Amino acid sequence: MSVTHSEKRRLTAPDPAVLAAVEAAVPGITRTRATDRLGMAHDASHYLLTPQAVLVPESAEQVAALMRTGLPLTFRSGGTSLSGQGVSEHLLVDTRRHFRSIEVLDGGDRVRVQPGAVLRQVNARLAAHGRKLGPDPASESACTIGGVVANNSSGMTCGTHANTYQTLESLVLVLPSGTVVDTAAPDADARLRALEPELARGLERLRDRVRGNPESVRRVTAQFSLKNTMGYGLNSFLDHDTPAQILAHLAIGSEGTLGFVAQAVLRTVPAHRLAATGLLVFPTLRRAMAAMPQLVTAGPAAVELLDAESLRVAQRDPRADDVLRTLTVRDHAALLVEWQESDPEPLAEHERTAERLFATLDLAAPARLSRDAGGRAALWHIRKGLYASVAGARPSGTTALLEDVAVPVPVLADLCDDLAGLFAKHRYERSVIFGHAKDGNLHFMLNERFDTDLERYADFTEDMVAAVLDRGGTLKAEHGTGRVMAPFVRRQYGDELFEVMREVKRLCDPAGTLNPGVVLTDDPHAHLRDLKNVVTVEPEVDRCVECGYCEPVCPSRDLTTTPRQRIVLRRELAAAQEAGDHALAKRLEEEYGYDAVDTCAVDGMCATACPVLINTGDLTKRLREERHGRAARAGWKSAAKHWNGVTRAMNLALDAAAATPAPLAEGASKAARAVAGQDAVPQWSRDLPRGGTPRRPAPAEDADAVFVPSCLNTLFAPAEGGPGAMAALLSLAERAGVRLRVPDGIGSLCCGTPWSSKGLADGYEVMRHRVRDALAAATDGGRIPVVSDAASCTEGFERLTAAASPAIRVLDAVAFTAEHLLPRLPAARRLPSLALHPTCSSTRLGLDAAITRVAETVAERVVVPDGWQCCAFAGDRGLLHPELTASATRAEAAAVAREDFAAHASVNRTCELGLTRATGKPYHHLLELLDRVTTP
């Protein structure tokens, strides 16, 4: 087949007439900077289209006004879609930022959600009721309801019985005409007939047309007995009778081409609290498939396939168990199986049945089921992160493609053989096959260089389409038709049903303005256009697959950029430089400084969500280091050498500011920032405390631990009414009879974060050597542990002392308290309620269990508010860029305001400052509250 390689892209100016029309319809929602447009040109797919502008509406009414302009619009929320349906060369409408409402109904039996709500966050709200949403895609930590609805998401356990289509109760749909239809309304059909008479009549006409054609009924029934997201959901015409319900269900899986789903009400399913999971390893993939009928009969909730290449990737995962790590993989395949129940006895019966079944299978390694939460989580972590892990290890400069298909289960092994043969025929190496075996649903991954191997990809696609359709399958099971399979919809459904789909599109969107080029197309080569070529940039960037898993945990996502956007903008900058577009490169560099470098919290939460463990904060630190001049590096190195004096000077400065009339102090701070720069001088505000208490040594014979109080104790006074974390821990230890030693020279010791977060390597090395020497002596050569009273400092000391000799063990004060002090403390006089803010550092350190134990000792009811995330105060980042913390804490602050808590707590002083500023409530260190409730 002959294909044409596309020319290199250039960033063209948006059409002024288009921008004027948008501004007239909805003022103030248009974003047209190069960073805004190029940052949203990328999604998780292998397509790349740059929008003329990014629009950020705040309501369904504003979307309706946009619709009435008649301009082409593409809706985008989580950006995790894989088929090209979330990118556009026209106007891209960001529905993630302002459409996040979640309302639990009927005790959790139903939930009303907006398209920007992340699936995991919805399930977190439902968990208290023992419920969850039916769809459970692997991207659940990042995908949003908008994509779940638009793609008819399913997943690992829901099959076709609990996918989005089957669990939809009603939705609010904004049509291209601007008409808003709520299908839950008693008069929904009457309203639709009155406002959109041609649409209502047309849907009834198509319903009768499909039902009246036996071949159409047969074909639709067969296609939708499988997981199937090819084309429009024509099963709506068989399953529903009235125009409103037909329209609602056609909207499911329509990928934003028929209307905008502003809100949906979904029925939920039980969230079984118990599960038993195991990995069955077979000598070959065909033997694994041969075991499927017996396994399915045993009623597992999930059966996930991993082929040999998937197993090799899984072996490299840090969470892989000994059986997996020690396996010599040849032609092996594995099935990840899980049974779920809400009560112990039914699960035990499943386990007994499974054990008997396992004994009859031709396994290559011992198999057993486990209820252990850690082991189960590790297996699912490996499976859910498989695509991104494989793609992250791809050769630099290649693009990762993930395809998904489905066939009837009896021919699944045959299709696996077909695919393996096609990989060999077209010279695709290290291509993996995995997926939902119980549903006949396979995913497979290719690495491709579209600039040199486009013809190979085109030929492979043709062969793959033939193989799947010859076996009665569907070319898209879960990921949506998008652009990648739009040219093949007619081939899968035939002329008659394809024409029905075209009529559906014409009735809903007569002008074809919604997501042009997606789902239906007359261009046979549409899937070969606008493909993503990846340039080699740097290690942190090159591994990224642009999956977007990092975005929901990023505290700057609503202010400037996300980790994915920071990375793709580096790629765009490199591409501009390579193309000789120096004007664009300069513009990107200028915008990148604030959007990506200054407002990155370097909190590392992105690494906790990234399947390939990219910490974008490391990239930011390096970029900050490159910006520092010789004077700045020398100044901060000197500060490390004289840290005791520096912290005391800052202490006095805060005291002086507090004693000065607030307008004068704030004005002086703003003036200094105007001269020296916002990233150089902190912004003082009247909500900041006075200076704190200097740290002093406290020798102790036969000490149980070395206590290294944080510099934050010196810099900032405790919250109102509290003694501070330093005094609280010393008090608790004394009450428990535990001896703590505060080392000599404590005033000069620091965890190193002030230098590492700014990329100041020289100063960091000065502090690292001093801390290692001091702690080696204070711990008696590593005999006793080091305890830090701020979670971020605990993490900093861990990094600072890594590979130290002798080894130094660092514990956070909360973990130390939970293990060593709580059992020795008197009974607590518990508070009625507590709003708790875990920190990014405590999350990365794995302190959740210890924090929960201490918090539940402090209060009868402990609540981590909805909207919790890293507060982004990030050392001094909240002082340099207070707008960052304000953005990061907005949702959590709103949740805190809805309840009247007896106390508010965190485990880091700067986080306490950030949350106090956001909520107006005094936040204390958790140990201060524990000290209060256990004081006799």
Side-chain angles (χ1 to χ4, degrees):
M1 173 182 178
S2 177
V3 297
T4 303
H5 294 272
S6 59
E7 296 180 2
K8 288 186 178 293
R9 297 183 315 132
R10 295 185 65 85
L11 185 67
T12 57
D15 184 340
V18 169
L19 300 185
V22 172
E23 186 65 18
V26 189
I29 67 167
T30 306
R31 310 286 185 266
T32 58
R33 297 181 311 151
T35 291
D36 298 321
R37 295 171 63 197
L38 293 173
M40 292 288 277
H42 299 246
D43 71 350
S45 76
H46 54 279
Y47 292 93
L48 181 60
L49 291 95
T50 302
Q52 288 203 50
V54 177
L55 311 182
V56 192
E58 299 182 9
S59 65
E61 291 73 23
Q62 289 188 347
V63 173
L66 288 175
M67 296 274 209
R68 284 191 287 270
T69 66
L71 295 170
L73 303 172
T74 293
F75 299 103
R76 157 90 168 257
S77 188
T80 59
S81 294
L82 292 161
S83 299
Q85 58 267 63
V87 289
S88 174
E89 62 186 337
H90 302 290
L91 295 172
L92 193 63
V93 183
D94 180 357
T95 65
R96 175 181 64 86
R97 191 161 298 190
H98 295 298
F99 293 85
R100 295 179 182 164
S101 173
I102 303 169
E103 183 184 0
V104 177
L105 306 172
D106 302 334
D109 287 347
R110 299 182 303 143
V111 62
R112 179 179 288 116
V113 284
Q114 288 187 312
V118 175
L119 178 56
R120 175 173 288 182
Q121 293 169 355
V122 178
N123 283 338
R125 292 282 295 275
L126 291 168
H129 305 278
R131 309 289 292 182
K132 68 183 185 72
L133 289 179
D136 58 339
S139 59
E140 54 90 24
S141 64
C143 70
T144 62
I145 295 300
V148 168
V149 170
N151 295 328
N152 188 20
S153 290
S154 49
M156 302 188 186
T157 65
C158 73
T160 56
H161 67 279
N163 60 14
T164 312
Y165 177 93
Q166 294 292 354
T167 56
L168 174 73
E169 180 168 293
S170 67
L171 50 76
V172 174
L173 186 67
V174 183
L175 293 168
S177 62
T179 298
V180 179
V181 179
D182 182 354
T183 65
D187 63 344
D189 286 300
R191 180 176 171 80
L192 187 63
R193 290 189 176 100
L195 297 177
E196 301 283 346
E198 184 180 352
L199 172 59
R201 286 194 302 269
L203 292 174
E204 290 174 318
R205 185 172 62 250
L206 289 177
R207 174 199 62 195
D208 296 341
R209 175 176 171 178
V210 172
R211 291 181 178 184
N213 185 325
E215 175 57 21
S216 292
V217 171
R218 184 200 67 76
R219 199 159 194 165
V220 169
T221 301
Q223 285 287 300
F224 290 95
S225 67
L226 303 170
K227 285 185 175 181
N228 182 15
T229 58
M230 266 299 266
Y232 293 125
L234 299 186
N235 50 334
S236 304
F237 291 116
L238 301 183
D239 299 339
H240 301 281
D241 298 319
T242 65
Q245 283 302 309
I246 291 172
L247 178 61
H249 287 81
L250 282 169
I252 302 298
S254 65
E255 302 174 35
T257 62
L258 303 182
F260 169 62
V261 179
Q263 177 181 284
V265 176
L266 298 167
R267 294 182 293 274
T268 64
V269 300
H272 296 299
R273 61 188 183 89
L274 301 174
T277 311
L279 189 69
L280 310 181
V281 181
F282 294 84
T284 65
L285 191 148
R286 185 163 282 278
R287 290 189 185 179
M289 292 298 97
M292 282 296 302
Q294 294 169 275
L295 282 169
V296 171
T297 301
V303 182
E304 294 294 299
L305 169 68
L306 293 83
D307 77 343
E309 191 61 38
S310 301
L311 289 174
R312 293 186 186 98
V313 173
Q315 288 179 312
R316 299 194 292 268
D317 192 292
R319 300 175 72 173
D321 65 12
D322 288 341
V323 172
L324 189 53
R325 275 197 303 269
T326 58
L327 181 69
T328 301
V329 179
R330 296 187 182 88
D331 299 321
H332 296 76
L335 297 175
L336 173 60
V337 293
E338 181 168 283
W339 281 263
Q340 300 173 353
E341 289 289 348
S342 294
D343 298 312
E345 185 47 42
L347 184 61
E349 179 57 33
H350 282 311
E351 289 172 320
R352 289 189 288 269
T353 301
E355 293 297 338
R356 291 193 295 269
L357 172 59
F358 294 170
T360 69
L361 300 178
D362 181 14
L363 298 177
R368 66 181 183 85
L369 292 177
S370 173
R371 299 191 189 187
D372 174 66
R376 291 183 50 251
L379 285 173
W380 282 113
H381 168 81
I382 290 168
R383 165 58 189 91
K384 289 185 177 184
L386 192 57
Y387 158 65
S389 297
V390 173
R394 73 195 184 283
S396 178
T398 60
T399 300
L401 293 77
L402 182 66
E403 297 291 359
D404 86 303
V405 299
V407 293
V409 172
V411 298
L412 187 60
D414 297 325
L415 181 63
C416 289
D417 288 345
D418 292 342
L419 291 174
L422 292 179
F423 295 155
K425 174 183 175 181
H426 296 283
R427 309 179 318 283
Y428 283 110
E429 298 178 355
R430 301 190 62 192
S431 294
V432 298
I433 298 175
F434 56 97
H436 317 306
K438 183 165 64 75
D439 304 310
N441 178 194
L442 293 180
H443 303 305
F444 57 91
M445 205 200 86
L446 311 174
N447 292 322
E448 188 59 275
R449 294 182 184 272
F450 290 125
D451 54 347
T452 59
D453 289 327
L454 184 56
E455 190 157 351
R456 173 177 71 162
Y457 171 62
D459 291 342
F460 170 84
T461 300
E462 288 292 330
D463 287 348
M464 182 272 293
V465 166
V468 172
L469 296 184
D470 285 350
R471 299 198 181 279
T474 175
L475 298 170
K476 276 295 164 191
E478 296 185 313
H479 298 166
T481 310
R483 300 172 186 279
V484 69
M485 284 296 144
F488 304 99
V489 174
R490 183 190 292 270
R491 194 183 307 184
Q492 177 167 320
Y493 285 96
D495 291 341
E496 164 62 13
L497 291 178
F498 183 74
E499 290 306 318
V500 171
M501 291 184 187
R502 291 178 69 111
E503 182 66 6
V504 167
K505 174 68 171 175
R506 188 195 67 77
L507 288 168
C508 292
D509 182 21
T513 58
L514 295 189
N515 218 356
V518 168
V519 179
L520 301 180
T521 183
D522 291 322
D523 180 357
H525 303 312
H527 61 301
L528 304 176
R529 306 190 195 284
D530 304 306
L531 296 166
K532 187 185 291 179
N533 291 315
V534 178
V535 296
T536 297
V537 184
E538 52 214 342
E540 302 97 328
V541 169
D542 293 343
R543 296 204 324 277
C544 177
V545 294
E546 303 178 11
C547 64
Y549 287 16
C550 55
E551 294 193 334
V553 300
C554 177
S556 63
R557 69 182 184 276
D558 292 334
L559 179 68
T560 51
T561 55
T562 67
R564 170 166 61 179
Q565 290 170 335
R566 289 182 173 93
I567 285 175
V568 302
L569 289 170
R570 294 288 289 175
R571 286 176 170 162
E572 290 289 353
L573 174 59
Q577 292 169 337
E578 185 179 274
D581 192 342
H582 303 299
L584 175 58
K586 182 180 179 182
R587 218 181 328 159
L588 288 172
E589 285 179 331
E590 291 171 349
E591 294 171 358
Y592 198 87
Y594 175 77
D595 281 22
V597 180
D598 292 349
T599 54
C600 177
V602 296
D603 61 340
M605 288 300 289
C606 49
T608 68
C610 177
V612 293
L613 306 178
I614 296 174
N615 185 342
T616 318
D618 292 339
L619 170 64
T620 301
K621 292 174 186 178
R622 181 167 57 75
L623 296 176
R624 287 176 182 170
E625 180 180 17
E626 292 173 1
R627 295 199 312 189
H628 292 309
R630 183 178 300 175
R633 290 194 292 270
W636 277 94
K637 183 176 181 179
S638 177
K641 293 178 178 179
H642 306 94
W643 191 237
N644 190 23
V646 170
T647 54
R648 288 181 181 243
M650 290 189 284
N651 169 297
L652 294 173
L654 283 170
D655 280 344
T660 303
L664 186 61
E666 289 176 339
S669 172
K670 288 178 182 177
R673 284 164 62 82
V675 173
Q678 292 188 351
D679 212 49
V681 178
Q683 172 65 58
W684 186 88
S685 58
R686 63 193 69 195
D687 58 4
L688 287 176
R690 303 176 66 90
T693 303
R695 301 174 292 167
R696 294 184 172 85
E701 295 295 328
D702 298 322
D704 298 297
V706 172
F707 177 32
V708 184
S710 168
C711 316
L712 299 173
N713 293 285
T714 300
L715 294 177
F716 301 112
E720 180 184 345
M726 179 169 64
L729 181 59
L730 290 170
S731 174
L732 289 166
E734 182 178 3
R735 193 172 304 139
V738 172
R739 296 177 299 278
L740 298 180
R741 173 187 300 156
V742 180
D744 292 337
I746 181 61
S748 297
L749 302 184
C750 177
C751 68
T753 301
W755 295 270
S756 66
S757 65
K758 294 176 173 59
L760 293 158
D762 294 342
Y764 186 80
E765 280 303 300
V766 169
M767 188 58 68
R768 185 172 70 87
H769 287 296
R770 181 187 301 142
V771 167
R772 284 190 175 187
D773 291 344
L775 295 186
T779 60
D780 302 335
R783 180 183 63 84
I784 55 178
V786 170
V787 177
S788 169
D789 61 356
S792 62
C793 299
T794 305
E795 193 173 27
F797 280 122
E798 275 196 352
R799 285 194 298 264
L800 209 63
T801 59
S805 180
I808 296 171
R809 186 161 56 105
V810 180
L811 300 175
D812 186 77
V814 177
F816 181 78
T817 297
E819 182 177 355
H820 299 286
L821 305 187
L822 272 187
R824 304 183 182 190
L825 293 174
R829 303 179 306 281
R830 297 166 78 196
L831 302 172
S833 60
L834 172 66
L836 178 65
H837 176 83
T839 72
C840 52
S841 290
S842 69
T843 301
R844 288 194 304 273
L845 288 166
L847 297 179
D848 288 355
I851 290 174
T852 298
R853 185 178 175 193
V854 174
E856 290 177 346
T857 302
V858 167
E860 294 174 0
R861 188 170 72 94
V862 178
V863 176
V864 176
D866 294 331
W868 171 88
Q869 67 172 1
C870 168
C871 70
F873 209 93
D876 61 0
R877 201 61 20 188
L879 300 175
L880 296 170
H881 296 286
E883 71 278 11
L884 174 60
T885 296
S887 177
T889 56
R890 188 171 292 120
E892 184 174 356
V896 170
R898 289 194 289 267
E899 289 200 51
D900 185 19
F901 293 99
H904 305 76
S906 187
V907 290
N908 212 83
R909 185 68 184 107
T910 51
C911 300
E912 295 158 25
L913 295 177
L915 269 295
T916 296
R917 176 179 287 176
T919 64
K921 304 291 184 181
Y923 272 71
H924 294 83
H925 194 288
L926 185 58
L927 296 186
E928 293 182 78
L929 301 180
L930 181 65
D931 183 41
R932 182 198 306 175
V933 300
T934 60
T935 298

